[in-house]
Amino acid sequence: MNKIVTLDEFIIRTQKEKPDSSGSFTRLLRDIGIAAKIVNREVNKAGLVNILGVEGSTNSTGDDVQKLDVFANEKFIETLSFSGEVCGIASEENQEFIPVASDHGHNAQYVVVMDPLDGSSNIDVNVSVGTIFGIFRRKSSVEGPCIQEDFLQKGTELIAAGYVLYGTSTLLVYSTGDGVNGFTLDPSIGEFCLSHRNIQMPVSGNYYSVNQGYYLKFDLEMRRYIDHCSDLNYRLRYIGSMVSDIHRIMFQGGIFLYPNTRKYPKGKLRLLYECYPMAYIVEQAGGTALTCKLDRIMDMEIASLHQTSSIVMGSKDMVKDMKEFVEKYGAVIQ
Ligand code: AHG
Ligand code: MN
Ligand code: MN
């Protein structure tokens, strides 16, 4: 029988191998695992305890906030605040970043950016949702409180990122910059167990994932590329939760697109806590992540917490194909 490797054990083991590893980073990763378990428990019983439904408020980017978004947000903030390793948190659900009080975040070196519940329109209908997170080392002095610049760092500055998928089973996938590993929650022992070691995204595949309902609102080059996917009989899969859509591509290969539309001329997905962390994971797994103007997502400049971007990411060869369409049709006057 193979020995089970739990997330905690894996984190401790791999961090020990790093010469500059600090115990505090190890503890922070472990705390994210704990928060994920708490959120998972609520996601699983959402149908039973009337926690479902739109709460009635709107979040910073104008979407309806559902109760479970609020719950997930609170749990992650609570857990991370008490961890003592985090000096601030930026979340989709909060207009401003949240500084952690100095008694808990004293001398803390890290900030966390997160989308506590991704794909929240799926909650009411029992379809997969996720959590996305990224970790930066703070720029400001550890003596004082965190500042906006601690959060407005480019994707290339991330020191770790990951996602949790609350699906048919619950999976936590993360990277600290040396490959991607996945852990499946075993509910019988309440532990995330290493189930997917060194995940490598296939260089090509036959899935494409885009909200094709917006087809007519996309730029010409995107429409031509989508026509191409359809011509090649690629299979269209769109769950409406980026975490779930990307997760499929991580294993089966494919391409995910959320281009700019007339409604969202700069794209809809948020750079800091959706695009950067997912791009980090995709690149670590051997894939590519670009904007629809072909800039590397990880290199994009960021000026505000909730800044949005267009995004195309997935299997290397498929993104390369897409690039040719942008180069060919991008300059055509429409
Ligand atoms: P969130 O639930 O955190 O607001 O994110 C939803 C995002 C993303 O996960 C998904 O790919 C996309 O919005 C779906 O948007 P459309 O409904 O416009 O396709
Ligand atoms: Mn989201
Ligand atoms: Mn969300």
Side-chain angles (χ1 to χ4, degrees), residues 59-164:
N59 70 18
S60 50
T61 33
D63 304 328
D64 284 333
V65 171
Q66 317 224 237
K67 280 182 183 171
L68 214 49
D69 294 38
V70 177
F71 178 87
N73 195 38
E74 279 171 5
K75 287 301 152 198
F76 270 96
I77 291 170
E78 225 171 84
T79 312
L80 294 173
S81 298
F82 284 105
S83 82
E85 315 303 344
V86 173
C87 65
I89 301 151
S91 162
E92 180 195 344
E93 302 303 335
N94 299 85
Q95 192 59 44
E96 309 294 339
F97 66 85
I98 301 151
V100 172
S102 60
D103 49 335
H104 293 302
H106 189 62
N107 286 343
Q109 300 175 60
Y110 307 104
V111 297
V112 172
V113 296
M114 62 170 188
D115 176 356
L117 213 68
D118 174 65
S120 42
S121 66
N122 289 343
I123 298 167
D124 280 351
V125 285
N126 249 316
V127 177
S128 303
V129 288
T131 294
I132 306 172
F133 64 89
I135 304 173
F136 291 104
R137 196 178 293 281
R138 72 188 295 180
K139 291 272 177 214
S140 58
S141 148
V142 288
E143 305 300 323
C146 64
I147 56 172
Q148 181 101 336
E149 283 60 42
D150 293 329
F151 297 95
L152 299 183
Q153 302 193 51
K154 292 201 288 191
T156 45
E157 302 294 315
L158 281 166
I159 56 169
Y163 62 81
V164 186

Side-chain angles (χ1 to χ4, degrees), residues 176-190:
T176 54
D178 47 10
V180 184
N181 293 286
F183 301 80
T184 304
L185 183 63
D186 180 341
S188 64
I189 56 170

Side-chain angles (χ1 to χ4, degrees), residues 59 63 69 92-93 115 117-121 211 214 238 240-243 245 256 258 264 268-270 274:
N59 70 18
D63 304 328
D69 294 38
E92 180 195 344
E93 302 303 335
D115 176 356
L117 213 68
D118 174 65
S120 42
S121 66
N211 189 334
Y214 302 152
Y238 192 70
S241 153
M242 184 196 205
V243 168
D245 284 314
F256 171 91
Y258 205 112
Y264 298 110
K268 175 188 173 190
L269 298 177
R270 296 67 158 207
E274 290 182 318

